[in-house]
Short mmCIF file of all heavy atoms in Angstrom, two decimals:
data_model
loop_
_atom_site.label_atom_id
_atom_site.label_comp_id
_atom_site.label_asym_id
_atom_site.label_seq_id
_atom_site.Cartn_x
_atom_site.Cartn_y
_atom_site.Cartn_z
N GLY W 1170 69.62 11.93 48.78
CA GLY W 1170 71.01 12.39 48.76
C GLY W 1170 71.15 13.68 47.91
O GLY W 1170 72.19 14.32 48.01
N GLN W 1171 70.07 14.18 47.30
CA GLN W 1171 70.05 15.39 46.56
C GLN W 1171 69.34 16.48 47.36
O GLN W 1171 68.54 16.25 48.25
CB GLN W 1171 69.37 15.22 45.22
CG GLN W 1171 70.11 14.25 44.33
CD GLN W 1171 69.33 14.05 42.96
OE1 GLN W 1171 68.15 14.26 42.87
NE2 GLN W 1171 70.08 13.75 41.89
N ASN W 1172 69.61 17.75 47.01
CA ASN W 1172 68.94 18.96 47.46
C ASN W 1172 68.33 19.78 46.30
O ASN W 1172 68.89 19.76 45.18
CB ASN W 1172 69.87 19.85 48.22
CG ASN W 1172 70.47 19.22 49.42
OD1 ASN W 1172 69.76 18.50 50.17
ND2 ASN W 1172 71.77 19.37 49.67
N ILE W 1173 67.23 20.35 46.56
CA ILE W 1173 66.67 21.30 45.59
C ILE W 1173 66.94 22.65 46.16
O ILE W 1173 66.67 23.01 47.30
CB ILE W 1173 65.11 21.07 45.44
CG1 ILE W 1173 64.90 19.74 44.69
CG2 ILE W 1173 64.51 22.22 44.63
CD1 ILE W 1173 63.39 19.43 44.47
N VAL W 1174 67.50 23.55 45.21
CA VAL W 1174 67.78 24.88 45.62
C VAL W 1174 66.84 25.90 44.79
O VAL W 1174 66.93 25.89 43.62
CB VAL W 1174 69.26 25.31 45.35
CG1 VAL W 1174 69.54 26.73 45.82
CG2 VAL W 1174 70.16 24.30 46.06
N LEU W 1175 66.08 26.65 45.54
CA LEU W 1175 65.04 27.61 44.90
C LEU W 1175 65.56 28.97 45.14
O LEU W 1175 65.78 29.38 46.36
CB LEU W 1175 63.70 27.50 45.40
CG LEU W 1175 62.71 26.56 44.64
CD1 LEU W 1175 63.19 25.08 44.74
CD2 LEU W 1175 61.35 26.79 45.12
N LYS W 1176 65.80 29.79 44.06
CA LYS W 1176 66.08 31.21 44.19
C LYS W 1176 64.86 32.04 44.32
O LYS W 1176 63.69 31.50 44.27
CB LYS W 1176 66.92 31.65 43.03
CG LYS W 1176 68.25 30.91 42.82
CD LYS W 1176 69.17 31.17 44.02
CE LYS W 1176 70.49 30.38 43.78
NZ LYS W 1176 71.50 30.60 44.87
N GLU W 1177 64.94 33.38 44.48
CA GLU W 1177 63.83 34.22 44.57
C GLU W 1177 62.86 34.12 43.35
O GLU W 1177 63.41 34.00 42.16
CB GLU W 1177 64.23 35.73 44.76
CG GLU W 1177 64.85 35.99 46.14
CD GLU W 1177 63.87 36.06 47.22
OE1 GLU W 1177 62.66 36.26 46.90
OE2 GLU W 1177 64.26 35.97 48.37
N LEU W 1178 61.59 33.98 43.50
CA LEU W 1178 60.56 34.04 42.50
C LEU W 1178 60.50 32.71 41.75
O LEU W 1178 59.78 32.57 40.75
CB LEU W 1178 60.78 35.14 41.45
CG LEU W 1178 60.75 36.57 42.14
CD1 LEU W 1178 61.01 37.62 40.95
CD2 LEU W 1178 59.49 36.90 42.86
N ALA W 1179 61.36 31.70 42.16
CA ALA W 1179 61.37 30.39 41.47
C ALA W 1179 60.26 29.48 42.10
O ALA W 1179 59.93 29.63 43.29
CB ALA W 1179 62.82 29.83 41.52
N ASP W 1180 59.88 28.52 41.33
CA ASP W 1180 59.05 27.39 41.88
C ASP W 1180 59.23 26.19 41.08
O ASP W 1180 59.69 26.24 39.97
CB ASP W 1180 57.55 27.81 41.96
CG ASP W 1180 57.01 28.20 40.56
OD1 ASP W 1180 56.81 27.37 39.78
OD2 ASP W 1180 56.74 29.42 40.30
N VAL W 1181 58.86 25.08 41.66
CA VAL W 1181 58.90 23.73 41.03
C VAL W 1181 57.83 22.86 41.55
O VAL W 1181 57.49 22.86 42.68
CB VAL W 1181 60.30 23.02 41.33
CG1 VAL W 1181 60.55 22.85 42.81
CG2 VAL W 1181 60.38 21.76 40.59
#
Side-chain angles (χ1 to χ4, degrees):
Q1171 296 180 332
N1172 297 320
I1173 291 179
V1174 182
L1175 265 70
K1176 302 296 184 179
E1177 289 287 341
L1178 304 178
D1180 58 72
V1181 58

